[in-house]
Amino acid sequence: MADTARRPENRYGNRPTMKDVAARAGVGLKTVSRVVNAEPGVTPETERRVQEAIDALGFRRNDSARVLRKGSTASIGLVLEDLADPFYGPLSRAVEEIARAHGALLINGSSAEDPDREQELVLALCARRVDGLVIIPAGNDHRYLEPELKAGVATVFVDRPAGRIDADVVLSDSFGGAHDGVAHLIAHGHRRIGFIGDMPRIHTSAERLRGYRAAMEDAGIPVEDAWMSLGVTDPERVRRAAEDMLTAPSPVTAIFAGNNRVTVTVVRVLNEQRRPVALVGFDDFELADLLRPGVTVVAQDAAQLGRTAAERLFRQLDGTLLTPERIELPTRLITRGSGELPPAD
Amino acid sequence: MADTARRPENRYGNRPTMKDVAARAGVGLKTVSRVVNAEPGVTPETERRVQEAIDALGFRRNDSARVLRKGSTASIGLVLEDLADPFYGPLSRAVEEIARAHGALLINGSSAEDPDREQELVLALCARRVDGLVIIPAGNDHRYLEPELKAGVATVFVDRPAGRIDADVVLSDSFGGAHDGVAHLIAHGHRRIGFIGDMPRIHTSAERLRGYRAAMEDAGIPVEDAWMSLGVTDPERVRRAAEDMLTAPSPVTAIFAGNNRVTVTVVRVLNEQRRPVALVGFDDFELADLLRPGVTVVAQDAAQLGRTAAERLFRQLDGTLLTPERIELPTRLITRGSGELPPAD
DNA sequence: CCTGCATCTGACAACGTTGTCCAGGCTCTA
DNA sequence: TAGAGCCTGGACAACGTTGTCAGATGCAGG
């Protein structure tokens, strides 16, 4: 009875250590270490005895101790905005595959678009001594990373540049993509074009807005304030923003949506309109081709972003490095119908 | 010149330790530890000096050493099938939120539906001494986890039960959901109903197939082999399977799709058919309501699965537990049009 | 039988942190 | 002013592993 009530008192609930294995196999500690790490210089007979003890006890090497001794964790960290956002799934997966190919484990976390939380997460990863970091930044100031960079933690930013420090960054050509998308609408006869995007403090949003403005200016079309809605992300407010610009004194005949979440909401709103309104969205999304009309988008390749970033990270770690660089991947306009609707004046 | 060429020779590229901080601040090692951990018993003046040294050197505590000493890593592992699958995004995110609320970090990896890779990943996580594991199993035999369970690693399986060991599992009612979905089609007049699903060795697939058969049997409808397609996941083969059952000697008038990836492909195929074919899919997906017709689905709440599993995990860790249990969450039929089409005979 | 060499094995220190325990200095009271 | 008690700070061991190095063993050759 006293026995059943007894709980393991050690940490890890009494996990066996190499010492235990050594005792059971009747060999020295270091010999166990040799077997576990497949180092040479162990008789087959000895190895067998050790292996037997390992299996019998269910021993697993404690990597914390190993890391402490060796100095490298063979793991990298990924900090992104929201794991639930479909844009980040393929990106994350691509980074994981590259990491795996290099024998590293991926640890990831979401910043929930909160700069403080991003910093907290990054520092937690650094405390665990990850070998490198892939960061989709939420904040604008990454000077807190200076000691880490100096200490040799490989770092690559993705999707948005680092703030106030000099570091690698891999991103899509937001300016060019937005410019192309808006120019596409203009080419189809639109002149009153709305823009709905996220906060301009986010680099990609600012760039896309800039692309919108540039395309309009190139065509000599003055932009009205009522056509632009910034800092809007939650569906309710996107909906209102879209409705507002559709009923403004000079209503828009087309909308450019700054990211996939905005696009989806705008599609819902346009579905309820009597007259057709053209739409081009930034970011592709699944099923965009199945909607009626299909949604024309400016697509960026999330997986490619992840792959490029991860590869660059490991090249930093190889020492094949490399002054910080900015790598911009092109976007691709995919026409599916919604962006080719003529203006319904 | 010799100076610029010099690279840090220590591991971690010369990261400062508490000893360095202590030396710089002119205090003892343990005092630094106290400051870092906000332990009481340090004069404000001393604390200030220590803090200054920490900032100046860019010191970050080495968590490996801490873990080694303390025995708890404050981290949990999540092993899922594919991060890029939209079903797992919200699940993963939910687990992360709960972990965060408990002050734990989430480490996750994809098994790519490969049992060996699952085991490899799980053991890597165990070597890092995660406190607990949330596993979406790919394999059917988890006896390799016995030592871990014995050692007190909290473990919860999600979406599919563990194989050959006794462990907590949280899953959706696949049988009931499929039964409801198929019964719904029958209630709308269908008798020739097709089923396309994944390999029956996957528990959820087998259960959904069982639900389909049961619903048909309840209605007294004999099932023809040509109406069933199992072990089919990639789009190309799903497409062919769907086309085959639509052109069989006794062609189906409705299809039940076993998971969201299948559903999406089937939608594409049905879009190309001249006559309307009814469709109910297992798993909800974004934009299902925007398609024409909207896609009727049996929805499971991925986030809720994740939350439930994570909460249970931490209850195991609290010691508030708990013999292994099987928790089945109900599904919900969401009618949107595609499942209510009458048979076009 | 001893020497030299190669092969296998184990003792020991170190990695950076935290828990334990004790020393020294201070304040307060009698 | 002495003694008690409190507060602050530091010395030291321990966590589980790996690298270093030296000891033990076996064997061949003199």
Side-chain angles (χ1 to χ4, degrees), chain B residues 299-320:
Chain B
Q300 48 178 335
D301 189 340
Q304 187 58 36
L305 280 176
R307 256 193 307 276
T308 308
E311 265 156 10
R312 203 162 166 84
L313 189 83
F314 283 101
R315 277 207 286 147
Q316 284 184 29
L317 288 173
D318 287 354
T320 327

Side-chain angles (χ1 to χ4, degrees), chain A residues 48-68:
Chain A
R48 196 190 52 73
R49 283 221 315 284
V50 171
Q51 196 56 63
E52 224 172 73
I54 288 178
D55 292 342
L57 296 174
F59 166 82
R60 311 267 192 238
R61 179 176 61 196
N62 184 330
D63 272 358
S64 294
R66 170 168 230 256
V67 161
L68 179 58

